[in-house]
Amino acid sequence: AQSVTQLDSHVSVSEGTPVLLRCNYSSSYSPSLFWYVQHPNKGLQLLLKYTSAATLVKGINGFEAEFKKSETSFHLTKPSAHMSDAAEYFCVVKVNDMRFGAGTRLTVKP
Amino acid sequence: ETGVTQTPRHLVMGMTNKKSLKCEQHLGHNAMYWYKQSAKKPLELMFVYSLEERVENNSVPSRFSPECPNSSHLFLHLHTLQPEDSALYLCASSQGARIEYNEQFFGPGTRLTVL
């Protein structure tokens, strides 16, 4: 069985400062890992995915995530936050089926 | 229209009503999905259809009944729902049902309230 934990339900950063959204997973087998973003009143949009290729994955809008097997982590980062990054972010692990994290709400202050 | 559309965007229904949610994708995809997003709970995959056949049904109560008449349309028929079924229902589509290889595109969702 697999599971995913997003360590922070809410993260607040100032515009122009780095973003770190944390995700830990548990899986008996090599998982596929994803980050999705959901803006208010919108569906989810795929930011990036890891499927056993390069451990550092670059996604859209300047986001990237690093798969660290030893730490069972897949944290999402961005060097400089923009106001438009304010949204809900979901980490997802898939082995047999997809398991979504509970989400992290990112607030960006001017 | 482009992408994935869902109607209605908002629905309020009583526990004895019967209603249907509709999803349409204009992307030429062959796999479609229903998800449930409840407040303060992780997103839950409900059903997966690939080439119009149901390939996944994650222990969803029978009061939810999906229908996929063709690869572009997906319905979720609702009857005798409970207040705890109130949630945002999201539809998604992809080219192929292998999620790790095929990006899912999501609709904006239907906000359902059961009184």
Side-chain angles (χ1 to χ4, degrees):
Chain A
Q2 71 266 25
S3 65
V4 58
T5 302
Q6 291 184 242
L7 298 167
D8 307 292
S9 60
H10 186 208
V11 170
S12 181
V13 301
S14 297
E15 190 175 20
T17 63
V19 176
L20 169 64
L21 305 183
R22 298 183 294 166
C23 173
N24 284 104
Y25 71 92
S26 171
S27 174
S28 302
Y29 302 96
S30 296
S32 296
L33 294 157
F34 309 79
W35 276 100
Y36 282 84
V37 61
Q38 185 178 28
H39 288 92
N41 300 314
K42 297 285 184 67
L44 278 70
Q45 181 184 18
L46 181 66
L47 276 179
L48 47 81
K49 64 181 179 182
Y50 166 78
T51 55
S52 75
T55 57
L56 182 62
V57 182
K58 294 188 183 298
I60 62 173
N61 301 335
F63 284 94
E64 62 181 39
E66 186 171 6
F67 173 67
K68 292 187 177 180
K69 187 175 181 179
S70 60
E71 299 176 12
T72 60
S73 68
F74 190 58
H75 301 335
L76 182 70
T77 61
K78 182 174 180 176
S80 176
H82 192 273
M83 295 297 292
S84 61
D85 295 327
E88 188 92 15
Y89 291 80
F90 296 92
C91 181
V92 184
V93 61
K94 182 184 187 299
V95 177
N96 297 313
D97 56 356
M98 288 184 80
R99 297 293 171 88
F100 283 75
T104 298
R105 180 164 299 279
L106 176 65
T107 302
V108 182
K109 297 175 290 186
Chain B
E1 286 203 64
T2 58
V4 181
T5 58
Q6 292 186 241
T7 54
R9 293 294 308 275
H10 299 272
L11 178 62
V12 179
M13 59 187 289
M15 289 190 284
T16 58
N17 292 157
K18 290 185 180 181
K19 297 287 184 183
S20 295
L21 310 185
K22 179 182 176 182
C23 176
E24 185 172 0
Q25 59 94 3
H26 309 269
L27 301 168
H29 291 164
N30 58 18
M32 297 187 78
Y33 312 78
W34 277 118
Y35 287 88
K36 177 183 178 182
Q37 188 175 30
S38 304
K40 300 181 181 179
K41 290 179 67 175
L43 198 67
E44 302 168 58
L45 178 63
M46 300 173 72
F47 301 105
V48 180
Y49 276 83
S50 178
L51 298 172
E52 300 154 39
E53 287 191 29
R54 190 187 311 178
V55 298
E56 198 164 329
N57 176 353
N58 288 342
S59 303
V60 180
S62 59
R63 57 186 184 269
F64 294 92
S65 175
E67 178 190 2
C68 188
N70 55 63
S71 59
S72 299
H73 294 86
L74 184 66
F75 295 89
L76 188 62
H77 303 300
L78 316 171
H79 64 97
T80 59
L81 293 192
Q82 304 298 313
E84 60 264 30
D85 297 322
S86 299
L88 182 69
Y89 289 84
L90 291 164
C91 173
S93 70
S94 65
Q95 184 57 34
R98 290 290 301 275
I99 296 172
E100 57 268 48
Y101 299 122
N102 308 112
E103 179 180 352
Q104 292 183 325
F105 291 80
F106 284 79
T110 295
R111 174 70 60 186
L112 174 67
T113 302
V114 181
L115 301 177

